[in-house]
Amino acid sequence: MAGGGFVAQQGGGAGYEGRVTAFVVCTCLIAATGGLLFGYDLGISGGVTSMEPFLKKFFPSVFAKQNNAAKHESEYCKFDSQLLTLFTSSLYLAALVASFFASVVTRIFGRKVSMFVGGLAFLVGSILNGVAMNVAVLIIGRLLLGVGVGFANQSVPVYLSEMAPAKIRGALNIGFQMAITIGILVAGLINYGTAKIEGGWGWRVSLALAVVPALVMTLGAIVLPDTPNSILERGHSEKARQMLQKVRGTQNVDDEFQDLVDASEAAKKVDHPWRNILQPRYRPQLVLCILIPFFQQLTGINVIMFYAPVLFKTLGFGDDASLMSAVISGTVNVLATTVSIYSADRFGRRILFLEGGVQMIISQIAVGIMIAVKFGLNGEGTLSKSDANFLLFLICVYVAAFAWSWGPLGWLVPSEICPLEIRSAGQAINVAVNMIFTFIIAQVFLSMLCHMKFGLFFFFAAFVIIMTIVIYFFLPETKNVPIEEMNKVWKQHWFWAKYIPDEAVKGANRKVEQRDA
Protein backbone atom coordinates (compact mmCIF):
# COMPACT_ATOMS: atom_id res chain seq x y z
CA MET A 1 0.00 0.00 0.00
CA ALA A 2 1.87 3.04 -1.23
CA GLY A 3 1.61 6.44 0.31
CA GLY A 4 1.28 9.38 -2.04
CA GLY A 5 2.94 12.73 -2.00
CA PHE A 6 6.19 11.89 -0.21
CA VAL A 7 8.95 10.05 -2.01
CA ALA A 8 12.32 9.48 -0.33
CA GLN A 9 15.02 11.55 -1.96
CA GLN A 10 17.91 9.84 -3.63
CA GLY A 11 21.53 10.63 -3.15
CA GLY A 12 23.64 10.11 -0.09
CA GLY A 13 24.00 6.80 1.66
CA ALA A 14 23.21 3.77 -0.42
CA GLY A 15 20.49 5.30 -2.59
CA TYR A 16 18.22 2.29 -2.28
CA GLU A 17 15.13 2.20 -4.48
CA GLY A 18 11.69 2.59 -2.98
CA ARG A 19 9.42 5.22 -1.54
CA VAL A 20 7.94 6.06 1.82
CA THR A 21 4.83 3.91 1.97
CA ALA A 22 1.72 4.34 4.08
CA PHE A 23 2.36 0.82 5.34
CA VAL A 24 5.75 1.66 6.86
CA VAL A 25 4.53 4.97 8.30
CA CYS A 26 1.54 3.27 9.96
CA THR A 27 3.59 0.42 11.39
CA CYS A 28 6.15 2.86 12.78
CA LEU A 29 3.45 5.03 14.33
CA ILE A 30 1.86 2.00 16.00
CA ALA A 31 5.24 0.79 17.27
CA ALA A 32 6.16 4.24 18.53
CA THR A 33 3.15 4.19 20.86
CA GLY A 34 5.35 1.95 23.01
CA GLY A 35 6.76 5.27 24.23
CA LEU A 36 3.37 5.99 25.83
CA LEU A 37 4.22 3.48 28.55
CA PHE A 38 7.39 5.29 29.54
CA GLY A 39 5.89 8.75 29.16
CA TYR A 40 2.68 8.09 31.07
CA ASP A 41 4.60 6.71 34.01
CA LEU A 42 7.10 9.59 33.98
CA GLY A 43 4.23 12.05 34.15
CA ILE A 44 1.89 10.22 36.51
CA SER A 45 4.25 9.35 39.35
CA GLY A 46 5.25 12.92 40.21
CA GLY A 47 1.63 14.11 40.25
CA VAL A 48 0.45 11.24 42.40
CA THR A 49 3.23 11.73 44.94
CA SER A 50 2.14 15.35 45.38
CA MET A 51 -1.49 14.33 46.18
CA GLU A 52 -2.24 14.49 49.91
CA PRO A 53 -4.62 11.46 50.04
CA PHE A 54 -1.91 9.30 48.42
CA LEU A 55 0.77 10.56 50.81
CA LYS A 56 -1.54 10.13 53.81
CA LYS A 57 -2.27 6.48 52.94
CA PHE A 58 1.18 5.25 51.90
CA PHE A 59 3.70 7.82 53.17
CA PRO A 60 2.25 9.36 56.36
CA SER A 61 5.63 10.65 57.57
CA VAL A 62 5.99 12.79 54.43
CA PHE A 63 2.40 13.99 54.84
CA ALA A 64 3.08 14.95 58.46
CA LYS A 65 6.31 16.76 57.57
CA GLN A 66 4.58 18.67 54.78
CA ASN A 67 1.68 19.79 56.98
CA ASN A 68 3.36 20.40 60.33
CA ALA A 69 3.73 24.15 60.21
CA ALA A 70 5.30 24.25 63.67
CA LYS A 71 8.50 22.64 62.36
CA HIS A 72 9.18 25.44 59.87
CA GLU A 73 10.91 22.92 57.62
CA SER A 74 13.10 24.24 54.85
CA GLU A 75 11.20 24.41 51.57
CA TYR A 76 14.03 22.42 50.00
CA CYS A 77 13.49 19.42 52.33
CA LYS A 78 9.77 18.95 52.84
CA PHE A 79 9.48 16.00 50.41
CA ASP A 80 12.77 14.32 51.39
CA SER A 81 11.91 10.63 51.94
CA GLN A 82 13.79 7.59 50.66
CA LEU A 83 10.63 5.45 50.77
CA LEU A 84 8.73 8.01 48.69
CA THR A 85 11.50 8.14 46.09
CA LEU A 86 11.64 4.33 46.07
CA PHE A 87 8.04 4.38 44.78
CA THR A 88 9.26 6.31 41.73
CA SER A 89 12.70 4.78 41.26
CA SER A 90 11.86 1.07 41.77
CA LEU A 91 10.40 0.98 38.25
CA TYR A 92 13.73 1.91 36.68
CA LEU A 93 15.64 -0.69 38.66
CA ALA A 94 13.27 -3.34 37.29
CA ALA A 95 13.63 -1.88 33.78
CA LEU A 96 17.40 -2.18 34.09
CA VAL A 97 17.23 -5.91 34.86
CA ALA A 98 14.48 -6.51 32.27
CA SER A 99 16.49 -4.84 29.50
CA PHE A 100 19.05 -7.67 29.53
CA PHE A 101 16.36 -10.34 29.22
CA ALA A 102 14.69 -8.18 26.56
CA SER A 103 17.93 -8.16 24.56
CA VAL A 104 17.84 -11.97 24.27
CA VAL A 105 14.11 -12.07 23.48
CA THR A 106 14.48 -9.33 20.86
CA ARG A 107 17.31 -11.15 19.10
CA ILE A 108 15.92 -14.72 19.22
CA PHE A 109 12.16 -14.20 18.91
CA GLY A 110 11.97 -10.83 17.17
CA ARG A 111 11.17 -7.22 18.01
CA LYS A 112 7.38 -7.56 18.13
CA VAL A 113 7.47 -10.43 20.67
CA SER A 114 9.56 -8.23 22.96
CA MET A 115 7.03 -5.40 22.56
CA PHE A 116 4.17 -7.77 23.40
CA VAL A 117 5.87 -9.00 26.59
CA GLY A 118 6.51 -5.40 27.62
CA GLY A 119 2.89 -4.37 27.07
CA LEU A 120 1.58 -7.36 29.02
CA ALA A 121 3.84 -6.73 32.03
CA PHE A 122 2.86 -3.05 32.07
CA LEU A 123 -0.81 -4.03 31.94
CA VAL A 124 -0.58 -6.26 35.03
CA GLY A 125 1.49 -3.68 36.92
CA SER A 126 -1.07 -0.95 36.16
CA ILE A 127 -3.89 -3.05 37.62
CA LEU A 128 -1.91 -3.79 40.79
CA ASN A 129 -1.10 -0.11 41.30
CA GLY A 130 -4.72 0.87 40.85
CA VAL A 131 -5.99 -1.57 43.52
CA ALA A 132 -2.99 -1.37 45.92
CA MET A 133 -3.85 -1.23 49.63
CA ASN A 134 -0.30 -1.14 51.00
CA VAL A 135 3.19 -0.06 49.98
CA ALA A 136 4.30 -3.64 49.19
CA VAL A 137 1.65 -4.14 46.48
CA LEU A 138 2.38 -0.63 45.20
CA ILE A 139 6.09 -1.43 44.79
CA ILE A 140 5.37 -4.86 43.17
CA GLY A 141 3.16 -3.09 40.66
CA ARG A 142 5.91 -0.58 39.99
CA LEU A 143 8.41 -3.39 39.41
CA LEU A 144 6.11 -4.96 36.79
CA LEU A 145 5.73 -1.56 35.14
CA GLY A 146 9.52 -1.48 35.03
CA VAL A 147 9.63 -4.81 33.23
CA GLY A 148 7.26 -3.34 30.65
CA VAL A 149 9.38 -0.21 30.21
CA GLY A 150 12.58 -2.28 29.92
CA PHE A 151 11.17 -4.45 27.14
CA ALA A 152 9.57 -1.52 25.31
CA ASN A 153 12.67 0.69 25.42
CA GLN A 154 14.81 -2.22 24.19
CA SER A 155 12.65 -3.21 21.23
CA VAL A 156 10.80 -0.13 19.95
CA PRO A 157 13.77 2.10 18.93
CA VAL A 158 15.42 -0.86 17.17
CA TYR A 159 12.14 -1.72 15.41
CA LEU A 160 11.73 1.86 14.19
CA SER A 161 15.34 2.20 12.97
CA GLU A 162 15.14 -1.07 11.04
CA MET A 163 11.72 -0.44 9.48
CA ALA A 164 12.24 3.18 8.42
CA PRO A 165 13.96 4.25 5.16
CA ALA A 166 17.27 6.01 5.85
CA LYS A 167 15.97 9.36 4.57
CA ILE A 168 13.24 9.63 7.22
CA ARG A 169 14.66 7.31 9.86
CA GLY A 170 15.15 10.24 12.22
CA ALA A 171 11.57 11.48 11.89
CA LEU A 172 9.97 8.05 12.33
CA ASN A 173 12.27 7.03 15.17
CA ILE A 174 11.56 10.28 16.97
CA GLY A 175 7.93 9.14 16.98
CA PHE A 176 9.00 7.09 20.01
CA GLN A 177 10.07 10.24 21.86
CA MET A 178 6.91 12.01 20.70
CA ALA A 179 4.85 9.21 22.25
CA ILE A 180 6.82 9.64 25.49
CA THR A 181 6.06 13.38 25.57
CA ILE A 182 2.37 12.79 24.78
CA GLY A 183 2.26 10.25 27.61
CA ILE A 184 3.77 12.81 29.99
CA LEU A 185 1.26 15.50 28.93
CA VAL A 186 -1.76 13.20 29.17
CA ALA A 187 -0.60 12.06 32.61
CA GLY A 188 -0.35 15.68 33.74
CA LEU A 189 -3.88 16.44 32.54
CA ILE A 190 -5.24 13.30 34.23
CA ASN A 191 -3.49 14.19 37.51
CA TYR A 192 -4.95 17.69 37.37
CA GLY A 193 -8.44 16.22 36.96
CA THR A 194 -8.20 13.32 39.42
CA ALA A 195 -6.77 15.57 42.16
CA LYS A 196 -10.18 17.27 42.27
CA ILE A 197 -12.12 14.01 42.85
CA GLU A 198 -13.78 14.13 46.26
CA GLY A 199 -13.19 11.20 48.54
CA GLY A 200 -9.42 11.03 48.07
CA TRP A 201 -9.33 8.16 45.57
CA GLY A 202 -8.34 10.15 42.49
CA TRP A 203 -4.78 8.80 42.68
CA ARG A 204 -6.17 5.30 42.02
CA VAL A 205 -7.67 6.50 38.74
CA SER A 206 -4.36 8.09 37.74
CA LEU A 207 -2.41 4.90 38.37
CA ALA A 208 -5.01 2.50 36.96
CA LEU A 209 -5.38 4.42 33.67
CA ALA A 210 -1.89 3.20 32.77
CA VAL A 211 -3.77 0.15 31.41
CA VAL A 212 -4.68 2.26 28.36
CA PRO A 213 -1.13 2.70 26.94
CA ALA A 214 -0.42 -0.90 28.00
CA LEU A 215 -3.35 -2.16 25.91
CA VAL A 216 -2.32 0.01 22.96
CA MET A 217 1.15 -1.50 22.92
CA THR A 218 0.02 -5.08 23.61
CA LEU A 219 -2.58 -5.05 20.84
CA GLY A 220 -0.24 -3.12 18.54
CA ALA A 221 2.45 -5.77 18.97
CA ILE A 222 -0.04 -8.45 17.88
CA VAL A 223 -0.94 -6.74 14.59
CA LEU A 224 2.50 -5.38 13.68
CA PRO A 225 4.74 -7.22 11.22
CA ASP A 226 8.31 -7.94 12.23
CA THR A 227 11.18 -6.09 10.56
CA PRO A 228 12.96 -7.57 7.52
CA ASN A 229 16.20 -7.53 9.55
CA SER A 230 14.65 -9.55 12.36
CA ILE A 231 12.97 -12.04 10.01
CA LEU A 232 16.25 -12.56 8.19
CA GLU A 233 18.13 -12.89 11.46
CA ARG A 234 15.88 -15.83 12.33
CA GLY A 235 16.59 -17.58 8.99
CA HIS A 236 13.51 -16.77 6.87
CA SER A 237 15.14 -15.30 3.78
CA GLU A 238 12.22 -15.23 1.34
CA LYS A 239 9.78 -13.93 3.94
CA ALA A 240 12.26 -11.16 4.78
CA ARG A 241 12.51 -10.16 1.09
CA GLN A 242 8.72 -10.01 0.79
CA MET A 243 8.48 -7.84 3.89
CA LEU A 244 11.18 -5.51 2.58
CA GLN A 245 9.29 -5.18 -0.73
CA LYS A 246 6.14 -4.35 1.19
CA VAL A 247 7.69 -1.69 3.42
CA ARG A 248 9.63 -0.07 0.55
CA GLY A 249 6.72 -0.17 -1.92
CA THR A 250 8.74 -1.69 -4.77
CA GLN A 251 9.72 -5.11 -6.06
CA ASN A 252 13.27 -3.97 -6.78
CA VAL A 253 14.92 -4.26 -3.38
CA ASP A 254 17.90 -6.36 -4.47
CA ASP A 255 20.59 -3.91 -3.33
CA GLU A 256 19.14 -3.23 0.10
CA PHE A 257 18.24 -6.88 0.63
CA GLN A 258 21.78 -7.98 -0.25
CA ASP A 259 23.15 -5.55 2.34
CA LEU A 260 20.79 -7.02 4.91
CA VAL A 261 21.85 -10.55 3.97
CA ASP A 262 25.54 -9.60 4.27
CA ALA A 263 24.91 -8.04 7.66
CA SER A 264 22.91 -11.07 8.78
CA GLU A 265 25.66 -13.46 7.69
CA ALA A 266 28.20 -11.41 9.61
CA ALA A 267 25.92 -11.45 12.64
CA LYS A 268 25.55 -15.25 12.52
CA LYS A 269 29.31 -15.62 12.81
CA VAL A 270 29.11 -13.84 16.15
CA ASP A 271 28.34 -16.36 18.89
CA HIS A 272 28.69 -13.88 21.73
CA PRO A 273 27.43 -10.37 20.85
CA TRP A 274 28.22 -9.16 24.38
CA ARG A 275 31.84 -10.25 24.02
CA ASN A 276 31.94 -9.03 20.43
CA ILE A 277 30.91 -5.46 21.25
CA LEU A 278 34.06 -5.21 23.39
CA GLN A 279 36.26 -5.65 20.32
CA PRO A 280 38.17 -2.51 19.22
CA ARG A 281 36.27 -2.31 15.89
CA TYR A 282 33.06 -1.60 17.84
CA ARG A 283 34.63 0.92 20.22
CA PRO A 284 32.69 3.93 18.83
CA GLN A 285 29.35 2.15 19.28
CA LEU A 286 30.22 0.88 22.77
CA VAL A 287 31.40 4.25 24.03
CA LEU A 288 28.46 6.20 22.61
CA CYS A 289 25.88 3.61 23.73
CA ILE A 290 27.20 4.25 27.25
CA LEU A 291 27.85 8.00 27.16
CA ILE A 292 24.69 9.18 25.39
CA PRO A 293 22.16 7.63 27.83
CA PHE A 294 24.43 8.58 30.76
CA PHE A 295 24.52 12.19 29.68
CA GLN A 296 20.81 12.17 28.80
CA GLN A 297 19.94 11.54 32.44
CA LEU A 298 22.56 13.98 33.74
CA THR A 299 20.82 16.81 31.88
CA GLY A 300 18.49 16.72 34.88
CA ILE A 301 15.37 16.36 32.72
CA ASN A 302 13.84 13.56 34.75
CA VAL A 303 13.99 15.81 37.79
CA ILE A 304 11.42 17.90 35.95
CA MET A 305 9.46 14.98 34.49
CA PHE A 306 9.31 12.82 37.65
CA TYR A 307 8.85 15.50 40.19
CA ALA A 308 7.46 18.53 38.32
CA PRO A 309 4.40 18.93 40.62
CA VAL A 310 6.53 18.21 43.71
CA LEU A 311 9.22 20.65 42.52
CA PHE A 312 6.72 23.39 41.74
CA LYS A 313 5.03 22.80 45.11
CA THR A 314 8.42 22.99 46.82
CA LEU A 315 9.04 26.34 45.12
CA GLY A 316 5.83 27.79 46.51
CA PHE A 317 3.20 27.00 43.87
CA GLY A 318 -0.20 25.96 45.28
CA ASP A 319 -1.61 22.45 44.77
CA ASP A 320 -3.57 23.28 41.61
CA ALA A 321 -0.88 25.64 40.35
CA SER A 322 1.83 22.99 40.72
CA LEU A 323 -0.17 20.42 38.74
CA MET A 324 -1.13 22.96 36.08
CA SER A 325 2.48 24.11 35.77
CA ALA A 326 3.44 20.49 35.10
CA VAL A 327 0.80 20.38 32.36
CA ILE A 328 2.22 23.56 30.81
CA SER A 329 5.78 22.20 30.77
CA GLY A 330 4.41 18.92 29.37
CA THR A 331 2.70 20.80 26.54
CA VAL A 332 5.95 22.58 25.71
CA ASN A 333 7.64 19.17 25.70
CA VAL A 334 5.24 17.81 23.06
CA LEU A 335 5.40 20.90 20.84
CA ALA A 336 9.19 21.11 20.96
CA THR A 337 9.55 17.43 20.03
CA THR A 338 7.86 18.21 16.70
CA VAL A 339 10.83 20.50 15.98
CA SER A 340 13.18 17.52 16.10
CA ILE A 341 10.86 15.44 13.90
CA TYR A 342 11.13 18.17 11.26
CA SER A 343 14.81 18.97 11.78
CA ALA A 344 16.70 15.74 12.53
CA ASP A 345 16.71 14.52 8.91
CA ARG A 346 17.10 18.00 7.42
CA PHE A 347 19.77 19.69 9.54
CA GLY A 348 21.29 16.65 11.22
CA ARG A 349 21.75 15.28 14.72
CA ARG A 350 24.82 17.30 15.73
CA ILE A 351 23.31 20.77 15.33
CA LEU A 352 20.30 19.81 17.47
CA PHE A 353 22.55 18.33 20.18
CA LEU A 354 24.74 21.44 20.26
CA GLU A 355 22.01 24.09 20.14
CA GLY A 356 19.91 22.23 22.71
CA GLY A 357 22.93 21.94 24.99
CA VAL A 358 23.67 25.67 24.93
CA GLN A 359 20.00 26.51 25.57
CA MET A 360 19.81 24.08 28.52
CA ILE A 361 22.98 25.49 30.07
CA ILE A 362 21.68 29.07 29.97
CA SER A 363 18.22 28.21 31.34
CA GLN A 364 19.52 25.95 34.14
CA ILE A 365 21.96 28.58 35.36
CA ALA A 366 19.17 31.18 35.27
CA VAL A 367 16.85 28.90 37.30
CA GLY A 368 19.61 28.27 39.86
CA ILE A 369 20.33 32.00 40.24
CA MET A 370 16.65 32.86 40.64
CA ILE A 371 16.05 30.19 43.29
CA ALA A 372 19.23 31.28 45.11
CA VAL A 373 18.01 34.88 45.22
CA LYS A 374 14.46 34.01 46.33
CA PHE A 375 15.11 31.15 48.78
CA GLY A 376 18.77 31.47 49.74
CA LEU A 377 20.56 28.74 51.66
CA ASN A 378 17.96 28.30 54.40
CA GLY A 379 15.12 27.56 51.99
CA GLU A 380 12.86 30.23 53.42
CA GLY A 381 11.16 32.56 51.00
CA THR A 382 8.21 33.05 48.69
CA LEU A 383 7.59 33.66 45.02
CA SER A 384 5.40 36.47 43.78
CA LYS A 385 3.04 35.67 40.91
CA SER A 386 5.38 37.33 38.42
CA ASP A 387 8.39 35.47 39.89
CA ALA A 388 6.55 32.15 39.64
CA ASN A 389 5.57 32.83 36.04
CA PHE A 390 9.14 33.73 35.08
CA LEU A 391 10.49 30.61 36.81
CA LEU A 392 7.97 28.50 34.89
CA PHE A 393 9.06 30.23 31.67
CA LEU A 394 12.73 29.37 32.32
CA ILE A 395 11.86 25.74 33.04
CA CYS A 396 9.83 25.60 29.81
CA VAL A 397 12.81 26.99 27.86
CA TYR A 398 14.91 24.21 29.35
CA VAL A 399 12.29 21.53 28.61
CA ALA A 400 11.98 22.75 25.00
CA ALA A 401 15.73 22.52 24.48
CA PHE A 402 15.82 18.96 25.78
CA ALA A 403 12.74 17.97 23.76
CA TRP A 404 14.32 18.80 20.40
CA SER A 405 17.80 17.55 21.26
CA TRP A 406 18.81 15.08 23.95
CA GLY A 407 15.27 13.72 24.39
CA PRO A 408 14.67 12.16 20.96
CA LEU A 409 18.31 11.92 19.85
CA GLY A 410 19.29 10.09 23.01
CA TRP A 411 17.19 7.18 21.74
CA LEU A 412 17.66 7.67 17.99
CA VAL A 413 21.46 7.81 17.72
CA PRO A 414 22.32 4.66 19.75
CA SER A 415 19.67 2.68 17.85
CA GLU A 416 21.05 3.66 14.42
CA ILE A 417 24.81 3.35 14.89
CA CYS A 418 25.09 -0.37 15.74
CA PRO A 419 25.51 -3.01 13.01
CA LEU A 420 23.21 -6.03 13.18
CA GLU A 421 25.74 -8.34 14.87
CA ILE A 422 25.88 -6.15 17.99
CA ARG A 423 22.55 -4.30 17.70
CA SER A 424 20.68 -6.13 20.46
CA ALA A 425 23.67 -5.86 22.81
CA GLY A 426 24.19 -2.18 21.97
CA GLN A 427 20.55 -1.31 22.58
CA ALA A 428 20.53 -3.31 25.82
CA ILE A 429 23.53 -1.31 27.01
CA ASN A 430 21.79 1.91 25.99
CA VAL A 431 18.63 1.01 27.92
CA ALA A 432 20.56 -0.36 30.91
CA VAL A 433 22.73 2.74 31.33
CA ASN A 434 19.65 4.92 30.87
CA MET A 435 17.76 3.01 33.55
CA ILE A 436 20.71 2.86 35.98
CA PHE A 437 21.02 6.61 36.02
CA THR A 438 17.28 7.21 35.82
CA PHE A 439 17.02 5.07 38.98
CA ILE A 440 19.87 6.92 40.70
CA ILE A 441 18.53 10.38 39.84
CA ALA A 442 14.99 9.42 40.86
CA GLN A 443 16.18 7.94 44.16
CA VAL A 444 18.52 10.73 45.25
CA PHE A 445 16.97 13.87 43.73
CA LEU A 446 14.80 14.91 46.69
CA SER A 447 17.75 14.39 49.05
CA MET A 448 20.04 16.29 46.68
CA LEU A 449 17.52 19.15 46.57
CA CYS A 450 17.45 19.14 50.37
CA HIS A 451 21.25 19.23 50.74
CA MET A 452 22.50 20.98 47.57
CA LYS A 453 19.59 23.43 47.44
CA PHE A 454 19.76 25.79 44.45
CA GLY A 455 23.24 24.41 43.68
CA LEU A 456 21.54 21.32 42.23
CA PHE A 457 20.68 23.26 39.07
CA PHE A 458 24.31 24.39 38.68
CA PHE A 459 25.33 20.73 39.14
CA PHE A 460 23.22 19.64 36.17
CA ALA A 461 24.30 22.67 34.11
CA ALA A 462 27.95 21.63 34.58
CA PHE A 463 27.19 18.18 33.16
CA VAL A 464 25.40 19.72 30.17
CA ILE A 465 28.55 21.76 29.44
CA ILE A 466 30.65 18.56 29.52
CA MET A 467 28.26 16.58 27.32
CA THR A 468 27.99 19.36 24.74
CA ILE A 469 31.79 19.38 24.41
CA VAL A 470 31.83 15.57 24.04
CA ILE A 471 29.20 15.70 21.26
CA TYR A 472 31.13 18.41 19.43
CA PHE A 473 34.34 16.38 19.30
CA PHE A 474 33.23 12.73 19.25
CA LEU A 475 29.86 12.34 17.49
CA PRO A 476 29.98 12.41 13.67
CA GLU A 477 26.87 13.27 11.66
CA THR A 478 24.69 10.21 10.98
CA LYS A 479 21.71 11.68 9.12
CA ASN A 480 20.67 9.92 5.90
CA VAL A 481 23.30 7.17 6.36
CA PRO A 482 21.91 3.61 5.97
CA ILE A 483 22.53 1.65 9.17
CA GLU A 484 24.53 -1.05 7.42
CA GLU A 485 26.95 1.56 5.98
CA MET A 486 27.63 3.42 9.24
CA ASN A 487 31.24 2.15 9.37
CA LYS A 488 32.16 4.60 6.62
CA VAL A 489 31.18 7.46 8.95
CA TRP A 490 33.44 6.17 11.73
CA LYS A 491 36.31 5.59 9.29
CA GLN A 492 36.22 9.26 8.27
CA HIS A 493 36.19 10.55 11.88
CA TRP A 494 39.39 12.09 13.30
CA PHE A 495 39.30 10.00 16.49
CA TRP A 496 37.34 6.82 15.73
CA ALA A 497 39.04 6.02 12.39
CA LYS A 498 41.87 4.12 14.07
CA TYR A 499 39.41 1.56 15.47
CA ILE A 500 37.72 0.69 12.16
CA PRO A 501 39.55 -1.89 10.00
CA ASP A 502 39.78 -1.17 6.28
CA GLU A 503 37.82 -4.31 5.34
CA ALA A 504 34.84 -3.00 7.31
CA VAL A 505 34.27 -0.28 4.70
CA LYS A 506 35.69 -1.74 1.49
CA GLY A 507 32.68 -3.98 0.84
CA ALA A 508 30.24 -1.11 1.30
CA ASN A 509 32.27 1.11 -1.01
CA ARG A 510 32.24 -1.53 -3.76
CA LYS A 511 28.46 -1.83 -3.57
CA VAL A 512 27.96 1.92 -3.86
CA GLU A 513 30.30 2.05 -6.89
CA GLN A 514 28.35 -0.78 -8.54
CA ARG A 515 25.06 1.06 -8.01
CA ASP A 516 26.43 4.36 -9.29
CA ALA A 517 27.72 2.54 -12.40
Side-chain angles (χ1 to χ4, degrees):
M1 185 168 57
F6 183 19
V7 178
Q9 300 171 6
Q10 298 300 314
Y16 299 131
E17 285 195 34
R19 58 182 176 272
V20 179
T21 62
F23 176 79
V24 76
V25 172
C26 289
T27 55
C28 287
L29 289 177
I30 294 171
T33 57
L36 289 173
L37 275 66
F38 196 16
Y40 187 83
D41 183 80
L42 281 173
I44 216 71
S45 55
V48 165
T49 52
S50 73
M51 295 181 186
E52 291 190 355
F54 177 82
L55 292 174
K56 194 172 183 179
K57 182 172 182 62
F58 295 106
F59 306 98
S61 62
V62 177
F63 178 76
K65 183 191 294 187
Q66 182 183 331
N67 288 276
N68 190 351
K71 295 176 76 172
H72 295 292
E73 189 91 39
S74 165
E75 289 292 320
Y76 293 122
C77 299
K78 65 183 182 182
F79 284 97
D80 185 20
S81 164
Q82 289 300 303
L83 188 59
L84 178 62
T85 53
L86 183 62
F87 165 74
T88 298
S89 63
S90 58
L91 182 150
Y92 303 99
L93 194 60
L96 163 64
V97 176
S99 66
F100 292 102
F101 292 98
S103 170
V104 177
V105 172
T106 301
R107 180 165 52 90
I108 297 176
F109 300 104
R111 286 55 166 151
K112 61 177 288 180
V113 171
S114 190
M115 287 189 275
F116 177 79
V117 172
L120 203 58
F122 203 89
L123 182 64
V124 177
S126 304
I127 294 170
L128 286 179
N129 273 180
V131 302
M133 298 302 294
N134 54 58
V135 173
V137 175
L138 202 63
I139 299 298
I140 290 171
R142 292 288 294 173
L143 292 175
L144 284 171
L145 293 179
V147 172
V149 168
F151 271 82
N153 287 5
Q154 162 70 25
S155 53
V156 173
V158 171
Y159 184 96
L160 294 171
S161 286
E162 290 181 345
M163 199 64 107
K167 287 294 181 183
I168 60 165
R169 186 175 63 238
L172 290 182
N173 196 294
I174 289 169
F176 179 69
Q177 177 67 18
M178 175 60 80
I180 292 176
T181 63
I182 291 172
I184 292 169
L185 175 58
V186 170
L189 290 168
I190 288 172
N191 279 334
Y192 185 74
T194 58
K196 298 179 181 299
I197 295 177
E198 294 183 7
W201 51 271
W203 61 269
R204 290 193 183 276
V205 178
S206 291
L207 294 178
L209 281 177
V211 301
V212 176
L215 282 172
V216 170
M217 179 165 168
T218 305
L219 296 176
I222 293 173
V223 301
L224 284 175
D226 221 333
T227 68
N229 311 61
S230 179
I231 296 169
L232 193 61
E233 194 174 19
R234 301 198 307 277
H236 305 292
S237 178
E238 189 54 37
K239 187 177 178 183
R241 176 187 284 276
Q242 291 171 359
M243 181 55 64
L244 185 61
Q245 290 171 336
K246 190 172 185 180
V247 299
R248 297 294 179 254
T250 179
Q251 294 298 304
N252 189 6
V253 294
D254 292 346
D255 291 335
E256 183 173 6
F257 185 70
Q258 188 57 50
D259 282 351
L260 295 183
V261 170
D262 292 344
S264 181
E265 291 301 320
K268 287 176 182 177
K269 296 176 183 176
V270 178
D271 295 326
H272 305 285
W274 288 96
R275 190 184 305 163
N276 207 56
I277 200 172
L278 298 177
Q279 293 179 11
R281 66 185 298 162
Y282 301 117
R283 195 59 43 82
Q285 292 90 338
L286 176 62
V287 170
L288 290 173
C289 281
I290 292 173
L291 285 184
I292 288 177
F294 167 73
F295 283 141
Q296 188 189 51
Q297 295 313 307
L298 268 297
T299 59
I301 187 62
N302 280 341
V303 167
I304 303 296
M305 294 306 146
F306 292 150
Y307 297 117
V310 171
L311 180 63
F312 287 128
K313 209 169 179 180
T314 295
L315 297 175
F317 290 64
D319 289 353
D320 280 356
S322 65
L323 288 170
M324 181 49 68
S325 297
V327 170
I328 292 171
S329 63
T331 303
V332 170
N333 197 14
V334 172
L335 295 176
T337 301
T338 62
V339 174
S340 63
I341 290 177
Y342 175 82
S343 303
D345 290 320
R346 287 172 174 80
F347 307 120
R349 284 64 159 148
R350 278 173 54 84
I351 187 66
L352 291 178
F353 268 129
L354 297 175
E355 190 283 331
V358 171
Q359 187 171 322
M360 283 192 288
I361 292 165
I362 294 170
S363 54
Q364 281 177 314
I365 291 174
V367 168
I369 291 172
M370 185 173 181
I371 294 175
V373 170
K374 295 298 178 181
F375 291 94
L377 288 171
N378 60 10
E380 294 178 5
T382 57
L383 291 173
S384 67
K385 186 175 180 180
S386 60
D387 289 337
N389 287 337
F390 185 62
L391 182 62
L392 178 60
F393 167 76
L394 289 176
I395 289 175
C396 286
V397 169
Y398 161 75
V399 169
F402 178 86
W404 62 54
S405 61
W406 280 89
L409 300 182
W411 293 106
L412 168 62
V413 172
S415 73
E416 70 180 359
I417 62 176
C418 292
L420 187 61
E421 63 267 24
I422 61 163
R423 192 167 301 157
S424 61
Q427 185 64 10
I429 291 171
N430 178 38
V431 174
V433 173
N434 195 298
M435 292 304 140
I436 287 171
F437 287 96
T438 302
F439 168 76
I440 292 171
I441 294 296
Q443 187 63 33
V444 305
F445 165 66
L446 293 178
S447 290
M448 290 175 72
L449 180 62
C450 180
H451 293 96
M452 295 179 69
K453 304 175 174 59
F454 58 83
L456 182 60
F457 294 92
F458 299 137
F459 170 83
F460 286 123
F463 269 99
V464 179
I465 292 172
I466 294 169
M467 66 185 70
T468 303
I469 293 171
V470 168
I471 290 296
Y472 181 81
F473 286 107
F474 296 103
L475 181 70
E477 184 55 67
T478 58
K479 72 165 183 170
N480 297 341
V481 181
I483 296 177
E484 311 309 335
E485 294 189 8
M486 204 64 72
N487 272 333
K488 290 196 294 185
V489 175
W490 305 119
K491 193 63 176 175
Q492 294 167 3
H493 190 265
W494 72 272
F495 181 79
W496 299 121
K498 60 180 176 280
Y499 294 103
I500 309 301
D502 292 338
E503 64 268 19
V505 296
K506 283 180 180 177
N509 285 333
R510 281 196 300 269
K511 289 171 189 170
V512 173
E513 289 169 3
Q514 289 169 2
R515 290 187 196 113
D516 291 342

